[in-house]
Amino acid sequence: MNRALVCIPTYNEAENIEPITRAVLKAEPRVDILIVDDNSPDGTGKIADTLAAQEPRIRVLHREKKEGLGRAYLAAFRWALEAGYTFIVEMDADFSHDPRHLPTILDAAEGGADLVLGSRYVTGGGTVNWGVGRQLISRGGSLYARTILGVDIHDLTGGFKCFHRRVLEAIELSQVKSTGYAFQIELTYRTLKKGFTIQEVPIIFEDRRVGHSKMSRKIFLEALTMVWRLRLGV
């Protein structure tokens, strides 16, 4: 068993799951993989089981239904802590998080950072294949959250990150409220409130290769309101 675990939540990612796991294993020999499938109707879970049977560095956690990105990650975190992993990485299945950045992220974590954020908005970071509208929404969302929460993190909405286990043990996972993309803001904010160190490292974020984004109006509104709930402590 390696010290680091890459957690990859899936829902209808049948086209992506084998290529992304192969790419992760090739990019970083220091990690294992946990695929967290929310009972995907397209058969992603079955493909994941086949991959795990072929590769000892791959594990699969099956969940009964889709409950949002946040719930899937919380289940993965609990599994990782119980299994004894030291570093726990969040990563999308759709190649928007490029596996080539994993060595840099893990190096920073092993160097002492409590939470390492793969950041689009620090020097050297960026996005590929995004229209002007999406760039404005993403940058505006991070600025909105930073301003209301009063924190100096450039990419609060990013989801390519690595936690040291001591962070996840301290931030009371049972109290996490968010289910969608607001989950990323909430976890980073809770990490800061506990006094842990956060290091942002540059990544290039590329739009997903195949499949469809899980973003919805409901998820977007949750992020807007969750920032105020965090700020007011409600």
Side-chain angles (χ1 to χ4, degrees):
M1 186 178 93
N2 283 301
R3 296 179 69 204
L5 181 71
V6 175
C7 304
I8 305 178
T10 56
Y11 186 77
N12 287 348
E13 296 287 357
E15 296 175 274
N16 285 315
I17 192 58
E18 182 170 359
I20 192 64
T21 53
R22 298 299 184 200
V24 167
L25 294 175
K26 182 179 180 180
E28 183 46 83
R30 292 174 291 178
V31 304
D32 295 334
I33 297 173
L34 176 66
I35 301 167
V36 187
D37 188 66
D38 281 0
N39 198 19
S40 299
D42 72 345
T44 301
K46 292 181 180 179
I47 297 172
D49 285 336
T50 299
L51 293 171
Q54 298 170 348
E55 172 54 64
R57 290 169 61 195
I58 298 177
R59 317 285 200 278
V60 184
L61 176 60
H62 293 280
R63 287 162 35 85
E64 292 184 1
K65 60 182 180 179
K66 183 181 180 183
E67 296 179 302
L69 184 72
R71 299 301 109 180
Y73 271 129
L74 290 175
F77 293 164
R78 294 186 181 101
W79 189 98
L81 292 174
E82 185 174 342
Y85 286 94
T86 301
F87 304 105
I88 298 95
V89 180
E90 294 185 20
M91 186 174 181
D92 288 349
D94 59 12
F95 280 95
S96 55
H97 296 155
D98 194 323
R100 69 186 172 92
H101 295 301
L102 279 168
T104 301
I105 290 174
L106 195 55
D107 284 348
E110 291 185 341
D114 296 313
L115 170 58
V116 181
L117 300 179
S119 179
R120 297 161 289 186
Y121 305 132
V122 295
T123 301
T127 60
V128 177
N129 297 329
W130 277 24
V132 175
R134 185 171 181 185
Q135 290 186 40
L136 288 173
I137 290 172
S138 178
R139 286 185 176 273
S142 282
L143 179 59
Y144 170 82
R146 286 176 63 193
T147 301
I148 293 172
L149 296 176
V151 300
D152 190 26
I153 300 296
H154 295 85
D155 196 350
L156 270 173
T157 59
F160 196 4
K161 55 182 65 171
C162 177
F163 294 91
H164 193 285
R165 67 175 292 122
R166 58 179 167 256
V167 177
L168 298 179
E169 289 170 336
I171 60 177
E172 301 174 82
L173 296 178
S174 63
Q175 301 301 310
V176 175
K177 304 178 180 70
S178 308
T179 57
Y181 287 92
F183 176 82
Q184 306 300 354
I185 301 172
E186 182 173 357
L187 263 287
T188 298
Y189 185 66
R190 286 180 178 271
T191 300
L192 284 169
K193 293 291 284 185
K194 288 290 185 178
F196 289 108
T197 60
I198 297 181
Q199 180 178 346
E200 291 186 85
V201 298
I203 63 164
I204 302 299
F205 185 102
E206 185 173 355
D207 203 9
R208 64 183 297 133
R209 298 182 181 180
V210 297
H212 301 283
S213 172
K214 309 300 191 301
M215 178 61 75
S216 67
R217 186 170 181 268
K218 179 181 178 182
I219 290 172
F220 178 73
L221 290 175
E222 181 199 35
L224 289 179
T225 57
M226 179 55 67
V227 171
W228 282 104
R229 292 178 65 187
L230 291 171
R231 182 68 178 84
L232 299 173
V234 296

